[in-house]
Amino acid sequence: MRPADVPPPANVQVGLDDVMLWGVLPYVVLAVLILGSVWRYRYDQFGWTTRSSQLYESRLLRIASPLFHFGILAVIVGHFVGLVIPKTWMDDVGINEDRYHFFALSVGSIAGFATLVGIVLLIYRRRTTGPVFMATTRNDKVMYLFLLAAILAGLATTVFSVFDAGIVNYRDTVSPWFRSIFIFQPDITAMTAASLSFKIHTLWGLALFALWPFTRLVHAFTAPLQYLFRPYIVYRSRGKRPAPGSATPRGSWAPVGTPDRDRKGTPRT
Ligand code: HEM
């Protein structure tokens, strides 16, 4: 039997801690996520933004941002397939356990690794580019910590499922539990039977979801998808200010009160 093919143990002991973690906590997190987002949207619409730092630095951002965002999009698609679509449905369309694991490991590892490299570069850029660091709040730092932890713990589950022969298949444990939350019948026993690495990753994921409405991550809810494919905004410097009284080159910005613009800023014809 390959790793990650081990069935969940038959006699799972469910304790009070399991009830709290897998039966109560998900609903607390969902409530915080939904109500927190509504509150933030109503009271802080001007703050509902990525707070882009592209103006300060764009060379590293140009590489790190697409790497992270395309990586995380692929990770989200992977989570949807692994957690939401039941194993039996996949079998019915000819994707058996072996095929599923081949795709999950190959595509999942590439996507997870791209996401990790992207976030590490984004954090490095924040720390080393003066103005970007200055624009980084304590809230951002906490958010980066939780985001990085969730990604690292996720990749750890992938590594363990290759090298640890005792790992229980998450499609028999984590996935049924995840689906059961949304029909308000949390399958606590299924999640209790999951391997420790999945439990740790899930808890980091839940923590991140609880923080979500109060951080810059809210921008993900309203991101226009074409944003990913649009060209970068080109910022041009104004160049040297023209000497007072001299004409500015055609098409460039002209300070008010020069031969090109009157005192109100209206171009002179
Ligand atoms: C309740 C929330 C979550 C659950 C139940 C969950 C579950 C899982 C499972 C079962 C895997 C293993 C996939 C495999 O090996 O094929 C995984 C992998 C992973 N997860 Fe999560 N996850 C959650 C939230 C998150 C969040 C919020 C992030 C990042 C922001 C994240 C990032 C990752 C990454 C990077 C991997 C490894 C690469 C991959 O398989 O795509 N997860 N997760």
Side-chain angles (χ1 to χ4, degrees):
M1 193 176 271
R2 285 182 302 100
D5 258 0
V6 179
N11 53 340
V12 182
Q13 296 289 323
V14 176
L16 182 63
D17 49 345
D18 297 306
V19 175
M20 296 310 285
L21 287 179
W22 317 121
V24 177
L25 186 66
Y27 294 105
V28 174
V29 170
L30 267 178
V32 172
L33 179 65
I34 295 168
L35 297 177
S37 303
V38 172
W39 168 82
R40 176 89 188 265
Y41 194 76
R42 290 181 64 147
Y43 292 100
D44 183 30
Q45 261 192 44
F46 281 117
W48 191 285
T49 155
T50 58
R51 281 199 288 105
S52 169
S53 56
Q54 190 194 337
L55 189 60
Y56 307 130
E57 197 280 343
S58 63
R59 197 180 53 87
L60 251 182
L61 187 69
R62 217 180 272 265
I63 304 163
S65 180
L67 207 56
F68 172 76
H69 283 97
F70 283 115
I72 201 82
L73 271 182
V75 167
I76 292 169
V77 172
H79 277 66
F80 181 83
V81 175
L83 297 176
V84 178
I85 303 179
K87 204 168 148 183
T88 47
W89 293 15
M90 297 288 246
D91 290 340
D92 289 348
V93 292
I95 303 175
N96 61 19
E97 195 63 34
D98 280 331
R99 281 189 191 159
Y100 175 81
H101 271 284
F102 174 74
F103 281 114
L105 284 182
S106 52
V107 182
S109 306
I110 295 169
F113 190 66
T115 312
L116 179 66
V117 174
I119 193 78
V120 167
L121 282 178
L122 286 172
I123 294 173
Y124 170 80
R125 169 181 174 273
R126 264 194 185 261
R127 189 66 199 82
T128 56
T129 313
V132 183
F133 185 58
M134 299 278 281
T136 306
T137 62
R138 189 177 296 172
N139 178 305
D140 292 334
K141 289 177 195 164
V142 173
M143 181 274 288
Y144 273 116
L145 185 79
F146 278 75
L147 187 56
L148 188 63
I151 293 167
L152 282 174
L155 273 168
T157 63
T158 309
V159 173
F160 283 131
S161 61
V162 177
F163 296 109
D164 183 351
I167 284 271
V168 177
N169 192 337
Y170 68 84
R171 290 205 296 165
D172 292 328
T173 53
V174 185
S175 308
W177 165 79
F178 184 81
R179 292 192 293 269
S180 72
I181 290 170
F182 298 96
I183 52 165
F184 299 102
Q185 283 169 19
D187 190 345
I188 301 168
T189 314
M191 193 58 195
T192 305
S195 300
L196 182 65
S197 55
F198 292 123
K199 291 180 178 170
I200 293 174
H201 172 57
T202 302
L203 287 177
W204 277 115
L206 289 176
L208 187 69
F209 289 139
L211 273 183
W212 202 284
F214 314 105
T215 66
R216 285 196 295 147
L217 292 175
V218 286
H219 79 270
F221 292 145
T222 44
L225 280 184
Q226 73 269 23
Y227 200 86
L228 285 172
F229 306 98
R230 70 154 170 82
Y232 270 75
I233 297 169
V234 180
Y235 289 105
R236 290 202 181 91
S237 70
R238 262 173 30 157
K240 265 183 88 177
R241 265 171 165 261
S246 66
T248 46
R250 272 202 97 64
S252 62
W253 290 98
V256 292
T258 61
D260 288 342
R261 284 180 193 269
D262 64 19
R263 297 187 73 76
K264 287 184 183 152
T266 316
R268 290 191 217 270
T269 45

